[in-house]
Amino acid sequence: MSIRRKQTPLSVSAVCVLALTLPGVVVGGDGAVLETELDPHGYVAYGKALEDQVAAGDGGGVDSTFRNSGVVLDSGGNAYFAVNGVHPVHRGDYSSYYPKSIVKASLEDDSILRAYSFSTVNGREVDMEALTFAADRSKLYIGDEYNFIYELELDSGEITNEWDLADVGVRTNVDKGIEALAYSHATGYFYAGIQGTGEVLVLELASEKVSRIASFSLEPGWAPSGLFAHSDGCLYIVSMRGRGTSGDQMIFQYDLEGTLKARISIPESLGITRPDGIAFDEDGEYVYIVDSQGPMYQGFSLFRIPWAGLHH
């Protein structure tokens, strides 16, 4: 699987390597894709802060759950950011569940530290689904399923910039646009996962312009639900195939050139209904996986799972 380059080759300073030492790992010859399963033991689950945000008005009294669809961690590792990617409750109704919020919450006691609520952005409806930091961590970047990327200044709470992916030819049906977003310090590019096409787009965001650098596609039947560009030079993509709890759940590991390196299945015993976002802490000790539908079934919105044993 190779990237279709639009401009210049990707410059990658880190090498994507995953050391899989657990029993049951399938290792083939050169270039083979590694296979293993995430160990769910020792996980911690979160969701109280997001429930509290619904009680404070998220969902407009129409939707009773905070359907978290993205996660990033603050630089100190003491808090997480989540985004309410609420889907329409009634067919053709895309606004009655406003406002929706991005919540910063404590990883210590799962309390709300700050909420950024939106009903519209620059006069248009929003369907915010994905979060990432870039080089300047005073700003948070938001992927919206109407195929906009927004820049949120955290101190002021204002949207300070926006990019429309229609400018680089991205057009999808409603609720099939940007589902995942990540930024790689190794390349300086953003990576946007498009639900409707199963593609990951490699993008450069300038002050008033978006450029499409390259793209690659996931395996047939899979689409990106969450992205994280790790300091190890790997891109981790969480996805689900099928419906409900009967679907297959997977973390894919790609290098930043778009080559598949590993498949890490998420076991059913973890209790995730629909994985919809992924992040790692700075030390690579834990992986955080979002469950956008967990609270609908008396579950949780976010899981912190030890990563030791998978990555060295």
Side-chain angles (χ1 to χ4, degrees), residues 48-121:
K48 179 181 179 298
L50 307 186
E51 292 177 3
D52 291 345
Q53 185 60 28
V54 171
D58 245 45
V62 177
D63 201 327
S64 60
T65 58
F66 191 110
R67 304 194 195 189
N68 186 16
S69 60
V71 61
V72 292
L73 307 181
D74 73 349
S75 58
N78 299 315
Y80 68 91
F81 290 81
V83 58
N84 194 353
V86 181
H87 294 281
V89 177
H90 306 293
R91 183 180 298 275
D93 176 2
Y94 298 99
S95 60
S96 67
Y97 51 81
Y98 292 137
K100 61 194 314 184
S101 299
I102 295 168
V103 170
K104 181 181 181 180
S106 169
L107 284 169
E108 297 296 326
D109 61 7
D110 205 12
S111 62
I112 296 174
L113 300 176
R114 183 167 179 180
Y116 306 83
S117 297
F118 300 91
S119 292
T120 60
V121 172

Side-chain angles (χ1 to χ4, degrees), residues 70-247:
V71 61
V72 292
L73 307 181
D74 73 349
S75 58
N78 299 315
Y80 68 91
F81 290 81
V83 58
N84 194 353
V86 181
H87 294 281
V89 177
H90 306 293
R91 183 180 298 275
D93 176 2
Y94 298 99
S95 60
S96 67
Y97 51 81
Y98 292 137
K100 61 194 314 184
S101 299
I102 295 168
V103 170
K104 181 181 181 180
S106 169
L107 284 169
E108 297 296 326
D109 61 7
D110 205 12
S111 62
I112 296 174
L113 300 176
R114 183 167 179 180
Y116 306 83
S117 297
F118 300 91
S119 292
T120 60
V121 172
N122 297 331
R124 70 176 68 90
E125 294 178 3
V126 292
D127 186 4
M128 297 178 174
E129 293 280 345
L131 304 174
T132 190
F133 283 113
D136 180 358
R137 295 183 69 91
S138 70
K139 298 174 181 178
L140 187 62
Y141 293 84
I142 306 160
D144 185 281
E145 278 214 288
Y146 289 105
N147 294 318
F148 281 82
I149 297 174
Y150 296 112
E151 179 186 82
L152 171 66
E153 188 176 70
L154 293 175
D155 284 345
S156 68
E158 299 294 325
I159 298 293
T160 52
N161 211 338
E162 66 177 35
W163 296 267
D164 184 356
L165 297 198
D167 293 342
V168 291
V170 177
R171 292 174 177 81
T172 62
N173 293 332
V174 174
D175 205 30
K176 295 295 183 181
I178 300 173
E179 185 77 14
L181 189 66
Y183 173 83
S184 170
H185 293 276
T187 64
Y189 294 138
F190 287 82
Y191 295 75
I194 308 300
Q195 183 178 9
T197 65
E199 288 182 292
V200 175
L201 308 182
V202 186
L203 304 170
E204 184 175 27
L205 302 186
S207 59
E208 297 181 357
K209 180 182 178 182
V210 56
S211 299
R212 180 168 171 167
I213 305 301
S215 65
F216 65 91
S217 297
L218 270 63
E219 296 178 302
W222 298 91
S225 294
L227 293 169
F228 186 82
H230 201 288
S231 59
D232 62 8
C234 301
L235 187 67
Y236 292 89
I237 304 174
V238 69
S239 182
M240 178 175 175
R241 181 175 60 186
R243 300 180 63 85
T245 56
S246 63

Side-chain angles (χ1 to χ4, degrees), residues 293-312:
Q293 294 188 8
M296 297 171 63
Y297 302 97
Q298 291 73 55
F300 299 97
S301 295
L302 180 65
F303 291 77
R304 186 189 74 182
I305 307 154
W307 189 245
L310 281 176
H311 186 84
H312 302 283

